[in-house]
Amino acid sequence: EAGVTQSPTHLIKTRGQQATLRCSPISGHTSVYWYQQALGLGLQFLLWYDEGEERNRGNFPPRFSGRQFPNYSSELNVNALELEDSALYLCASRRGGIRNEKLFFGSGTQLSVL
Amino acid sequence: AQSVTQLGSHVSVSEGALVLLRCNYSSSVPPYLFWYVQYPNQGLQLLLKYTTGATLVKGINGFEAEFKKSETSFHLTKPSAHMSDAAEYFCAVSLFSGSARQLTFGSGTQLTVLP
């Protein structure tokens, strides 16, 4: 069974550009989470999608947005990139159902903003 | 509100020594607690989790953690460190609130294993 896959592995952008990060959950998983791991800050919750809808978002500005497609894959978009957006972005998925806690994580996309 | 505090951003132990990574949480209701490990250039892997029941939880790779409600702690231990345990470890707490929930992670502890 394939795990959570993220693309691209590395992404280099310049300040002011837009970045699009992609995530494919494990087959059968309907919930997708996005996390940002900036150096020294640990994991910060970004967004949670379930059944195609945004269920919750963390304390990030509106230029961080995303969507979930009918096949449950997801995109994270970051507009007007700033230097401090440089981080590892992790996607995680799980089966639907409020009691199922186990998250499976992808290997992440390393975003570098120059 | 919920938060997770991991004491010590870096921990070094000798190979064969006890590993102890500390995690304290704050939550107004009984939480679900997790430990994740992140090896270099990889995503997170679940080590173990506590939901309900037995307070001593055993995970993969010989790790275990004990939920102590009175101390609001969920420390991670391993009796004998191996070189392959070198990684970053994250403690996390999950809280249900209606239909919305999320994991809150600690800032991570980098474990170095010395030969």
Side-chain angles (χ1 to χ4, degrees):
Chain A
E1 178 181 285
V4 178
T5 57
Q6 292 187 243
S7 63
T9 306
H10 293 85
L11 188 58
I12 300 175
K13 294 285 186 178
T14 57
R15 195 167 49 184
Q17 286 187 314
Q18 180 203 30
T20 299
L21 288 62
R22 296 180 176 84
C23 172
S24 293
I26 290 172
S27 178
H29 288 192
T30 61
S31 276
V32 171
Y33 295 74
W34 287 96
Y35 292 88
Q36 181 196 65
Q37 186 179 2
L39 198 61
L41 292 181
L43 285 169
Q44 307 289 323
F45 168 70
L46 263 167
L47 291 159
W48 170 33
Y49 292 96
D50 184 59
E51 297 286 354
E53 294 189 14
E54 183 180 302
R55 300 295 186 182
N56 203 3
R57 66 179 290 130
N59 188 24
F60 280 85
R63 58 191 185 81
F64 286 84
S65 65
R67 55 180 171 168
Q68 187 177 33
F69 299 99
N71 66 354
Y72 303 115
S73 66
S74 178
E75 264 183 10
L76 173 67
N77 294 292
V78 188
N79 294 319
L81 284 166
E82 300 179 2
L83 296 178
E84 53 265 32
D85 297 333
S86 295
L88 179 68
Y89 290 83
L90 288 169
C91 172
S93 74
R94 67 170 177 84
R95 287 189 179 90
I98 198 167
R99 293 259 169 221
N100 193 318
E101 281 286 359
K102 187 169 184 178
L103 281 177
F104 294 81
F105 286 82
S107 298
T109 293
Q110 184 66 53
L111 173 63
S112 299
V113 182
L114 308 178
Chain B
Q2 57 182 15
S3 69
V4 182
T5 303
Q6 290 184 241
L7 299 176
S9 58
H10 291 84
V11 171
S12 293
V13 300
S14 298
E15 192 174 16
L18 170 72
V19 176
L20 171 60
L21 304 182
R22 300 178 187 274
C23 173
N24 287 88
Y25 68 91
S26 65
S27 175
S28 56
V29 297
Y32 286 10
L33 296 159
F34 306 80
W35 275 100
Y36 286 88
V37 60
Q38 185 175 20
Y39 297 103
N41 300 316
Q42 294 185 28
L44 292 173
Q45 295 178 33
L46 179 67
L47 269 179
L48 49 80
K49 67 176 180 179
Y50 168 80
T51 53
T52 58
T55 56
L56 181 61
V57 181
K58 295 186 184 299
I60 62 173
N61 301 336
F63 284 94
E64 61 183 37
E66 187 171 9
F67 170 57
K68 292 187 176 180
K69 185 178 178 180
S70 61
E71 299 177 9
T72 60
S73 69
F74 191 58
H75 302 330
L76 182 70
T77 61
K78 182 174 180 177
S80 176
H82 192 273
M83 297 297 289
S84 60
D85 294 328
E88 188 157 20
Y89 292 80
F90 291 89
C91 181
V93 59
S94 175
L95 180 65
F96 294 109
S97 178
S99 61
R101 59 185 178 85
Q102 65 189 62
L103 283 178
T104 300
F105 287 86
S107 56
T109 298
Q110 183 69 47
L111 176 66
T112 300
V113 182
L114 305 171

